[in-house]
Amino acid sequence: EKMTRCPTLPIIALLLVQLTDASRWALLQRESSSSVIGNGVQQYDNNRTLAALEYMRLLRAGSSSNEVSQDDDDTIASTIVEDEEAVVENETVEIITVPRPSGMDEDPDGIPTRFLKMCKGNRKAAHDAYADTLFWRKTNDVDDVLNRPHPNFDICKAITPHYFPGFDEVGNIILVQRPGMLDLSLKKSSNMTDDDLVYHMVYVLEYCWSVISPPKLPEGESRMKDGVMTNVLDMTGVNMRMLRKKAMMDFIMQFVSVMSAHYPQRSYKTIIINAPGWFGTVYRVFKPLLRESTRKKIQIYSAGPRQEKALSDVFGGSIPKEFCGTLDSDEAGEPGPQSNLELELRNFCVKRLQSHSVEMKKVTPKEESA
């Protein structure tokens, strides 16, 4: 109750939950709110009974029963990635299928390991959480999101700056997000909604976990493991006034609700950089509410030599120049917004636009949209 009196605290809480393993607070948020991804797709009303029924139906569809229809096969959320090709409008593109979550095959109820960890081994809670996710994915056709054209890609990237600069020192993908540079004016002039932006982030994460970092078998181990990421939250431009904007809070709440509920246990480490002076005070208030495992994953730095050394130690050759006290990197292939990973992601999106004869929507400069 005290947290709601200060508009800054809920936002910081949301950011930390999104960037770390989902806490009990995030689970309560998931149970009390709807998860949405937009761009014309249906909203998902979190109905526990329907979700559980859908979960059991999907499990049956994944069995060896000869009575399973082709329609059922097409809706299974967890399928092994296959090297398939499809011809659309005379263009050949690879069909991306969603990797099967690790631990699902070994578990007697087909519950992925990440959901069991999120719920601290509570099987019923993990069952319900995964059922919700399967139902959300089916209702919003998330499994096919990478095979559909995404003409708002460039606009959404411009509104919500984020990128994959490379991999960290242990081989995990790195995701940089810059909430202080969220361009609400471009969002308005481009007629983008919160649903559009969340849809885009789902697109990016599905690409990450299906193409860049799918489940793999670690050396010397017998079970597949899902990929995790190092999150870098760049606080440049974040101030108290900005955090009080309702439009920003609405987007963050919707985004975090989806991420926490449907992409749990995906964080390896969270590095918060360029933190303003007041951030430490806010974090100390919120810190006791976090689990010990979550607190250990969070590192907070302000600009200076200590931050630069920490980034260099963690990222090695993948550290963007903009975080080393030098100019932003605009050179193609360099770690940063124009990294090889980012060029490959955009090329992936453009190829699917071309195969569907759809054009990428242009980012209109502010002076032209006025």
Side-chain angles (χ1 to χ4, degrees):
E1 181 178 350
K2 291 181 180 179
M3 287 178 62
T4 60
R5 296 174 184 174
C6 174
T8 303
L9 291 178
I11 296 176
I12 298 301
L14 287 167
L15 288 172
L16 292 174
V17 167
Q18 179 246 320
L19 293 170
T20 56
D21 53 339
S23 65
R24 176 59 186 162
W25 181 88
L27 290 175
L28 292 174
Q29 282 294 106
R30 176 181 58 78
E31 293 173 357
S32 63
S33 63
S34 295
S35 298
V36 179
I37 95 175
N39 199 24
V41 278
Q42 290 177 292
Q43 295 188 1
Y44 164 47
D45 186 4
N46 189 1
N47 185 306
R48 180 76 61 178
T49 302
L50 288 177
L53 290 173
E54 178 64 15
Y55 169 74
M56 298 307 298
R57 191 190 73 77
L58 288 173
L59 285 182
R60 287 196 297 272
S63 69
S64 59
S65 171
N66 293 326
E67 297 179 0
V68 176
S69 68
Q70 183 61 44
D71 288 341
D72 282 335
D73 286 339
D74 292 340
T75 63
I76 297 175
S78 307
T79 54
I80 301 174
V81 176
E82 302 174 354
D83 293 328
E84 297 182 73
E85 292 187 342
V87 178
V88 185
E89 298 290 337
N90 297 321
E91 288 287 340
T92 301
V93 295
E94 178 188 4
I95 293 178
I96 303 298
T97 53
V98 180
R100 200 171 183 82
S102 67
M104 185 178 181
D105 293 331
E106 296 82 4
D107 187 85
D109 298 314
I111 304 173
T113 302
R114 289 186 293 109
F115 286 81
L116 286 168
K117 286 184 177 179
M118 176 179 72
C119 298
K120 295 184 177 180
N122 184 321
R123 298 193 63 81
K124 183 180 185 307
H127 176 284
D128 290 345
Y130 188 48
D132 288 349
T133 290
L134 287 180
F135 192 66
W136 170 78
R137 295 185 70 91
K138 177 179 181 295
T139 303
N140 294 290
D141 199 17
V142 176
D143 287 0
D144 202 41
V145 68
L146 294 179
N147 299 314
R148 297 196 299 269
H150 180 22
N152 294 328
F153 182 89
D154 283 351
I155 296 177
C156 291
K157 288 279 287 186
I159 295 173
T160 59
H162 58 277
Y163 57 87
F164 297 114
F167 299 88
D168 65 17
E169 80 282 13
V170 294
N172 298 319
I173 188 68
I174 303 168
L175 175 64
V176 174
Q177 297 182 73
R178 314 186 81 177
M181 298 181 182
L182 181 64
D183 194 336
L184 296 178
S185 61
L186 179 58
K187 175 189 172 188
K188 182 178 180 180
S189 66
S190 303
N191 295 316
M192 291 292 107
T193 66
D194 287 347
D195 284 355
D196 292 326
L197 298 181
V198 172
Y199 178 94
H200 170 77
M201 293 307 299
V202 168
Y203 184 96
V204 170
L205 289 177
E206 288 294 311
Y207 178 86
C208 175
W209 303 128
S210 295
V211 179
I212 301 178
S213 185
K216 62 182 179 181
L217 183 65
E219 186 176 352
E221 297 191 25
S222 59
R223 292 188 177 184
M224 300 286 285
K225 284 191 175 181
D226 289 333
V228 293
M229 68 169 53
T230 288
N231 297 281
V232 178
L233 183 62
D234 181 12
M235 299 292 283
T236 299
V238 175
N239 55 57
M240 290 287 195
R241 181 180 178 184
M242 182 183 124
L243 291 177
R244 291 189 178 96
K245 291 182 179 179
K246 184 178 183 300
M248 171 169 285
M249 186 171 181
D250 287 346
F251 165 64
I252 292 177
M253 289 183 69
Q254 184 172 325
F255 172 50
V256 174
S257 177
V258 171
M259 300 305 112
S260 298
H262 306 306
Y263 298 92
Q265 295 291 314
R266 285 294 196 178
S267 175
Y268 172 72
K269 183 184 300 183
T270 297
I271 313 289
I272 299 174
I273 63 173
N274 298 317
W278 51 263
F279 185 84
T281 302
V282 173
Y283 177 70
R284 282 192 292 274
V285 173
F286 183 68
K287 186 176 180 180
L289 302 177
L290 296 174
R291 294 202 307 267
E292 179 63 25
S293 60
T294 300
R295 293 198 295 267
K296 289 181 178 179
K297 293 183 179 182
I298 299 174
Q299 300 175 16
I300 303 176
Y301 300 97
S302 295
R306 183 168 168 266
Q307 174 176 289
E308 292 184 14
K309 183 179 185 307
L311 290 174
S312 179
D313 290 343
V314 173
F315 297 162
S318 292
I319 181 171
K321 292 181 179 179
E322 59 196 2
F323 296 152
C324 294
T326 59
L327 297 177
D328 289 5
S329 174
D330 293 324
E331 187 175 343
E334 287 289 326
Q338 295 297 316
S339 69
N340 286 329
L341 288 174
E342 282 296 314
L343 296 176
E344 290 168 3
L345 169 56
R346 189 177 187 280
N347 183 62
F348 175 94
C349 180
V350 168
K351 188 173 182 179
R352 276 144 186 79
L353 288 174
Q354 293 173 343
S355 70
H356 287 82
S357 299
V358 176
E359 292 186 1
M360 179 79 77
K361 293 183 181 179
K362 295 182 179 179
V363 180
T364 304
K366 296 177 184 178
E367 57 269 19
E368 292 183 17
S369 61

